[in-house]
Amino acid sequence: MYERALFAVWLLTLVVFQNTESCELRPVLAQVPKRLPAGYLISEGTEELTLKGCAAKPVTFTSSDPDFAVNTDGTIVTVRGLVITTKRFSVLVHDERGLDWRVDVILSCKNEAPQKSSSAAHKRIKRRWRPLPFNLVENDSPPFPKDLEMIASDSSVNYTVHYEISGQGVTTEPVGLFILIKETGMLRVTRSVDREQYPEYKFIARVYDQNGREVDEFLPITVIVEDKNDNAPEFIGGRVFTVEERCRAGTFIGKVNATDKDLANTLHTKIKFTLLNATDMFSIDPSTGVLTAKTNTLDREAQDKVYVNIEIRDMDGAPNGLFNRGTVVITLTDVNDNPPTFKEKLYKAKVQENQENVLVTRIPVEDKDLVNTPNWKALFEVTKGNESGQFRMETDPKTNEGLLYVIKGLDFEKTPVVQLEITARNEVPLVGTDATWLSVPLELSVGDEDEGPEFNPGVLYLKVKENVPNGTVIGTYKALDPETKSSNGIKYYKMTDPGNWITVVENTGELKTANTIDRESPLVHNDKYNITIRAVDESKKIGKGMVIIQIEDDNDNMPVIPGTDLVICNKGDTLSSVLVEAVDLDKPPYSTPFIFELGAENDGKWKLKDKTDSSVVLEQAVVMPNGLYTVPILVKDLQGIGKEQTVNVRVCSCEREENGAGVCGARSASTSLGSLGILALVLSSLLLLLLCLLLIFICSTKRDKLYINDDSGTGGMLLKSNTEAPGEEVKDGALMIIPGGDVVDGSLQSGGMDIKNVTSTAGRYGQQFIQGGGVYNTTTQDFGTEKYYTSGRYDNNLYGNAMFQKFSNTSALDTWKTNGRYLDRKLAYFGDEEEGRYADDLLKTYGNEGAGSLAGSVGCCSLLGEQESMDFLNTLGPKFRPLADVCYTTKKTGI
């Protein structure tokens, strides 16, 4: 009876499931042994538990009997050992759509013998070391701890074992979440878990015998935390957007972003977006959160910011889904959808006549667009009544008002009231509206005032032929009083006349020529010459007028050839030519076309061809050598007025031609410097510069005073010197040592002599000598027609022109100086004449000369004779030459 009742329940359940889903779920029927050990495999992946044939797939399994567990693949195993005869329980299958399915499990006993003889149970138990991941529902309710799964090793058949676990959730964070009953292998959880914190846990299980020996390999265990919809969706990202007003419906505004911490790609995280207000203005995509404009009538002027409330709900918006609400701010940006409008339908203003550049009135406008933007700023224009350009409109940048200005004076007598139309527009065109720019009428009254005389017309045009005689009346220019329309009492004066060509008769306004009117004058532009006239009435009011004189041309200029120096390139036997152009300041018919002819003095070597209105080609009639030629050419204008002009033509070898004109090369007689010549010039310039610097250095160098000892007791001797010029160590007592130049009371005194720079006159001596005594000095002497440069001369005074001066006094100093004069002349003489006159070689006493000289003894020059006798100079022999070479450097130059 009980079995029948269960069967009826099963049938009812099946009918319910069939009504709910088209798939067919049947109960799980299995035969098992009476004694079931822990971990016994009841069924493996049954079709009923995997919902085969149904549209949905299972997610979790829950057993109604705690003695049995269901793995994630639908496998039913025992949690602990038990003895049964029959066993019935159910498994609740939760699918991915959130629906729950119930499957009944009916177990019946079978014979023990086949069960014991079968190895299937052992094989299945052995597979428990490789179980599928365990499942654990997050946020499970107490009490804790709760049994989770049973783990077992097939080694328990042969050994008395115990189990241990370690790893995440056991010995590492979160520590103590899982515990294990060592003897049975039951895995238990001690508290609720949060999938968003730890979506899964991985640890290992080990099995040991009583001796603590590990009898099987360790078992990796993965516990997957099943998701519960315990997190409501949240907004992420910005929620402030902008869109133009008057935008088209469907315009993208922005995207609202949200997230959910629950398991991705499930209903727990499938969010639906819903607008809670402003649904007439905006719309949102329920699955993506994209905001768009729903209408094309968004108006910033009505509401510039819209606060839109949005709900986000998971479970795809199902009522049992979790939700959040937030606000999105949508700012409407401005477009020019409002034209400026006038506050009045008619504006009136008043202005005095003849006033210029004055503000007449202000015209205010209103604009609903955003202030201080191009959509708001107004531009004003006088669209009617300003045909003569008397008005100007501007905009006040602060108030946006229109400012009406009069730029040309108005005339009350002509128009007492002026009707204007003012149009206002923005800086940018109108957008998204059918409105147009608006206009308003303006009535401007002109005030009357006493005015000065007015010229009529304001500008007088006169035609005058140039070169008319002075005093010729060319016209009359009168002014009228605008009040009386009369010219009585008005006087006329000239204001501007650049060339002083016109005079104005004061009482009549007649215009007469005062100087020659020249159309070709630089004061004339486009044949026009302007003067201004001032009219003054009896009340001293002034009127101004302008006279434009149109000057007619007269044939007062002849054609001329401006460029009379021409160049023809010599091309050997080929006849060359050059273009000759003429100009005439007059206008046709008094100028072009010109008539070109060769002059009467033409030598027949030239001819003219290819005539144009203002030019002709001058060509060689015969081949000519290079040179300068003169060609007479007669040029006349169209009226036959002209003159003969001479053209200078240079025939040369051209180095190039530019625009048909030749450029002569360097003449053959000239010398062109090559690179070596230029280098020589540069080096010469540098040497000259160095010479100048040397002279400056010599002249500016401070000379030390030279002290000369008057000790004549030492014997003179020549010392070996490596210098080419006389050495500083030459100390011949007779020739080289001179008493001091200071004489006091007729006696000699030794002392220093100052070197001075003196420019010699006669005798052309050098620029330096010692005044007051003798010292070495490089000089130049003139003897006859030849020059000699000497050095080591003793001198105090200058002599020249081969004239000898003897000192008048008889002191020893004078005697030494006189001997020095003779020696100088003799040395210079020996340097020029042949060696035909020598003195006898006399035996003399000399000082030690050191090493022997190639010339032998210097002979008679070692000692001097009498102080007053100069005869010894005529008897100097060949031994004097070496001494002369030592003391002098001789160079012969021509005059």
Side-chain angles (χ1 to χ4, degrees):
M1 189 67 180
Y2 181 72
E3 291 179 355
R4 292 179 180 178
L6 288 177
F7 184 74
V9 172
W10 173 76
L11 288 177
L12 181 62
T13 303
L14 179 62
V15 170
V16 172
F17 273 92
Q18 287 180 343
N19 291 336
T20 307
E21 184 67 32
S22 60
C23 61
E24 181 178 0
L25 296 180
R26 293 176 296 177
V28 177
L29 302 176
Q31 286 186 339
V32 296
K34 185 176 181 180
R35 295 179 180 276
L36 297 176
Y40 184 87
L41 182 63
I42 303 296
S43 66
E44 185 176 4
T46 60
E47 295 180 356
E48 290 77 6
L49 294 181
T50 57
L51 302 180
K52 184 176 181 180
C54 300
K57 294 182 180 181
V59 177
T60 60
F61 302 93
T62 304
S63 174
S64 62
D65 191 335
D67 293 333
F68 301 91
V70 183
N71 293 331
T72 56
D73 63 346
T75 301
I76 303 175
V77 295
T78 59
V79 174
R80 56 187 178 88
L82 69 157
V83 178
I84 63 170
T85 53
T86 59
K87 190 70 172 179
R88 296 174 181 83
F89 61 94
S90 62
V91 176
L92 186 64
V93 182
H94 186 75
D95 66 10
E96 60 185 0
R97 295 175 303 178
L99 301 178
D100 294 328
W101 303 83
R102 182 176 178 181
V103 178
D104 287 334
V105 180
I106 301 175
L107 304 178
S108 60
C109 294
K110 61 181 180 179
N111 296 330
E112 292 290 339
Q115 175 73 15
K116 291 181 181 179
S117 62
S118 176
S119 62
H122 295 292
K123 292 180 180 178
R124 290 173 180 171
I125 292 174
K126 187 176 181 179
R127 292 182 60 191
R128 285 297 297 152
W129 273 134
R130 297 292 183 267
L132 292 173
F134 300 157
N135 292 319
L136 175 64
V137 179
E138 68 169 333
N139 299 325
D140 199 3
S141 58
F144 291 100
K146 287 186 177 182
D147 293 342
L148 183 61
E149 291 285 351
M150 178 79 75
I151 60 175
S153 172
D154 57 358
S155 61
S156 61
V157 177
N158 301 320
Y159 303 97
T160 301
V161 298
H162 68 274
Y163 301 92
E164 293 182 2
I165 57 176
S166 62
Q168 184 184 16
V170 182
T171 57
T172 62
E173 288 295 331
V175 177
L177 178 63
F178 300 102
I179 59 175
L180 182 70
I181 299 177
K182 294 184 177 182
E183 291 77 14
T184 63
M186 175 59 68
L187 182 66
R188 312 186 76 182
V189 61
T190 61
R191 57 185 180 272
S192 64
V193 297
D194 185 5
R195 190 202 65 84
E196 286 71 41
Q197 184 178 10
Y198 295 101
E200 65 179 15
Y201 300 90
K202 291 183 178 181
F203 52 91
I204 61 174
R206 298 179 184 272
V207 57
Y208 301 92
D209 61 11
Q210 290 181 343
N211 298 322
R213 180 173 58 89
E214 191 171 5
V215 296
D216 203 347
E217 294 182 359
F218 66 87
L219 172 67
I221 298 176
T222 301
V223 178
I224 297 177
V225 181
E226 296 180 3
D227 185 42
K228 273 189 176 182
N229 190 20
D230 57 341
N231 290 281
E234 298 176 351
F235 290 97
I236 59 174
R239 283 178 284 168
V240 177
F241 306 100
T242 59
V243 66
E244 282 189 350
E245 64 172 336
R246 307 288 180 181
C247 65
R248 294 182 299 175
T251 299
F252 173 81
I253 297 175
K255 185 176 184 299
V256 180
N257 296 306
T259 187
D260 196 313
K261 295 180 181 179
D262 292 323
L263 185 62
N265 301 320
T266 64
L267 286 175
H268 297 168
T269 57
K270 190 171 185 180
I271 302 172
K272 182 178 180 180
F273 298 84
T274 306
L275 290 183
L276 301 180
N277 67 324
T279 55
D280 59 333
M281 304 170 64
F282 309 102
S283 62
I284 190 169
D285 189 290
S287 58
T288 63
V290 173
L291 274 170
T292 56
K294 193 174 183 179
T295 178
N296 59 357
T297 59
L298 297 177
D299 189 3
R300 186 202 67 85
E301 287 72 37
Q303 185 178 5
D304 61 346
K305 287 186 179 181
V306 183
Y307 297 88
V308 182
N309 297 322
I310 298 179
E311 178 186 273
I312 50 176
R313 184 182 292 266
D314 59 16
M315 301 298 292
D316 199 16
N320 61 340
L322 303 178
F323 66 91
N324 255 324
R325 291 175 180 173
T327 302
V328 172
V329 180
I330 301 176
T331 302
L332 303 181
T333 59
D334 187 41
V335 298
N336 191 22
D337 57 340
N338 293 282
T341 58
F342 296 97
K343 295 182 178 181
E344 303 290 341
K345 295 182 178 180
L346 173 66
Y347 289 91
K348 294 184 179 182
K350 185 176 182 181
V351 65
Q352 288 296 112
E353 65 174 334
N354 301 322
Q355 288 187 344
E356 297 181 352
N357 297 316
V358 295
L359 176 63
V360 175
T361 187
R362 288 176 171 264
I363 304 174
V365 293
E366 292 181 347
D367 198 315
K368 296 180 181 179
D369 292 319
L370 189 60
V371 177
N372 293 326
T373 65
N375 303 330
W376 175 82
K377 294 179 180 178
L379 300 176
F380 297 88
E381 181 183 2
V382 181
T383 51
K384 290 183 180 179
N386 194 30
E387 289 76 11
S388 59
Q390 294 176 302
F391 302 97
R392 181 183 79 248
M393 289 293 298
E394 293 182 0
T395 304
D396 190 322
K398 294 182 179 180
T399 63
N400 211 30
E401 294 176 320
L403 307 178
L404 178 63
Y405 288 88
V406 174
I407 58 176
K408 293 182 181 179
L410 301 176
D411 189 351
F412 171 81
E413 287 71 27
K414 293 181 180 179
T415 310
V417 178
V418 180
Q419 300 293 336
L420 302 177
E421 182 184 78
I422 310 299
T423 301
R425 50 175 53 87
N426 293 125
E427 293 183 354
V428 293
L430 291 171
V431 177
T433 180
D434 297 331
T436 58
W437 306 122
L438 303 179
S439 300
V440 67
L442 187 145
E443 185 179 284
L444 180 61
S445 300
V446 181
D448 186 22
E449 66 177 12
D450 187 14
E451 301 170 287
E454 295 180 353
F455 286 96
N456 191 13
V459 178
L460 177 64
Y461 290 88
L462 298 176
K463 287 187 177 181
V464 179
K465 196 173 186 65
E466 67 173 333
N467 301 320
V468 296
N470 294 346
T472 302
V473 178
I474 61 174
T476 302
Y477 196 26
K478 287 192 174 183
L480 299 176
D481 190 319
E483 308 295 337
T484 63
K485 306 299 181 184
S486 172
S487 300
N488 296 333
I490 298 177
K491 297 184 181 297
Y492 305 91
Y493 304 94
K494 183 174 62 174
M495 296 181 64
T496 61
D497 182 6
N500 199 24
W501 289 351
I502 305 298
T503 58
V504 180
V505 179
E506 181 178 335
N507 296 322
T508 63
E510 286 184 331
L511 306 176
K512 297 182 180 181
T513 58
N515 288 296
T516 301
I517 298 177
D518 185 8
R519 190 193 66 84
E520 291 75 33
S521 170
L523 302 175
V524 177
H525 303 281
N526 297 326
D527 299 340
K528 293 181 177 63
Y529 180 77
N530 300 344
I531 63 173
T532 54
I533 308 299
R534 179 178 61 189
V536 182
D537 61 12
E538 294 179 347
S539 62
K540 304 302 181 182
K541 295 189 179 299
I542 299 173
K544 299 177 183 179
M546 177 180 289
V547 178
I548 299 178
I549 301 175
Q550 182 74 39
I551 303 175
E552 298 179 350
D553 192 23
D554 188 19
N555 195 11
D556 56 344
N557 293 280
M558 292 184 296
V560 296
I561 301 174
T564 58
D565 295 326
L566 306 176
V567 175
I568 290 182
C569 296
N570 193 339
K571 300 180 180 178
D573 296 335
T574 303
L575 298 178
S576 301
S577 61
V578 67
L579 183 66
V580 180
E581 294 182 298
V583 295
D584 193 329
L585 298 178
D586 294 325
K587 295 172 60 178
Y590 304 122
S591 57
T592 56
F594 298 141
I595 301 170
F596 294 93
E597 298 175 358
L598 289 173
E601 301 298 329
N602 176 34
D603 54 5
K605 295 181 180 180
W606 306 91
K607 60 181 179 180
L608 302 176
K609 67 173 186 178
D610 300 337
K611 297 180 181 179
T612 65
D613 288 349
S614 61
S615 65
V616 68
V617 175
L618 177 64
E619 186 181 43
Q620 293 174 324
V622 295
V623 178
M624 303 177 188
N626 290 352
L628 184 62
Y629 301 88
T630 59
V631 182
I633 298 178
L634 177 62
V635 186
K636 295 184 288 186
D637 61 18
L638 187 59
Q639 306 300 322
I641 297 176
K643 66 178 180 178
E644 185 177 291
Q645 304 174 53
T646 300
V647 177
N648 300 319
V649 182
R650 180 178 296 279
V651 180
C652 65
S653 298
C654 296
E655 62 180 15
R656 65 182 185 278
E657 289 191 36
E658 297 177 353
N659 300 324
V663 178
C664 291
R667 297 185 181 181
S668 59
S670 64
T671 301
S672 297
L673 288 176
S675 60
L676 294 178
I678 295 175
L679 181 60
L681 287 178
V682 173
L683 291 177
S684 301
S685 301
L686 292 175
L687 289 175
L688 181 59
L689 178 61
L690 291 174
L691 181 58
C692 294
L693 293 175
L694 180 59
L695 291 177
I696 293 173
F697 176 78
I698 293 174
C699 294
S700 60
T701 302
K702 182 179 180 181
R703 302 294 182 90
D704 295 332
K705 292 183 178 182
L706 178 63
Y707 293 91
I708 301 177
N709 189 7
D710 194 18
D711 185 7
S712 58
T714 53
M717 69 176 179
L718 296 177
L719 300 179
K720 184 178 179 179
S721 174
N722 290 329
T723 59
E724 295 180 342
E728 296 179 358
E729 297 177 353
V730 177
K731 300 180 180 179
D732 191 305
L735 293 177
M736 308 302 293
I737 301 176
I738 305 173
D742 296 335
V743 179
V744 181
D745 297 332
S747 62
L748 297 177
Q749 293 183 3
S750 299
M753 301 181 184
D754 292 332
I755 298 176
K756 299 183 180 179
N757 294 331
V758 179
T759 301
S760 63
T761 54
R764 301 180 62 182
Y765 278 75
Q767 294 182 352
Q768 296 180 355
F769 71 99
I770 298 178
Q771 185 175 359
V775 74
Y776 281 111
N777 191 14
T778 300
T779 61
T780 302
Q781 299 184 24
D782 289 350
F783 288 93
T785 59
E786 298 184 64
K787 294 181 180 178
Y788 296 89
Y789 295 89
T790 63
S791 62
R793 180 178 60 83
Y794 299 98
D795 197 5
N796 189 24
N797 296 316
L798 300 178
Y799 70 97
N801 297 328
M803 297 301 294
F804 171 73
Q805 291 181 347
K806 182 178 180 180
F807 292 94
S808 58
N809 55 28
T810 58
S811 64
L813 178 61
D814 292 341
T815 301
W816 278 103
K817 291 181 179 179
T818 301
N819 292 341
R821 298 277 185 250
Y822 280 105
L823 287 174
D824 274 344
R825 295 191 61 190
K826 192 65 175 180
L827 289 174
Y829 182 72
F830 270 115
D832 178 61
E833 298 296 330
E834 62 182 0
E835 301 178 0
R837 293 173 296 277
Y838 306 109
D840 294 334
D841 191 10
L842 301 177
L843 182 61
K844 301 293 181 182
T845 300
Y846 299 97
N848 183 18
E849 295 181 355
S853 173
L854 294 178
S857 176
V858 296
C860 63
C861 294
S862 298
L863 295 176
L864 293 177
E866 295 179 359
Q867 295 182 353
E868 295 296 329
S869 175
M870 295 292 107
D871 294 338
F872 71 94
L873 294 175
N874 296 324
T875 59
L876 296 176
K879 301 299 189 293
F880 186 82
R881 179 61 56 86
L883 183 60
D885 292 337
V886 172
C887 299
Y888 287 81
T889 298
T890 305
K891 182 177 180 182
K892 180 178 179 181
T893 58
I895 296 176

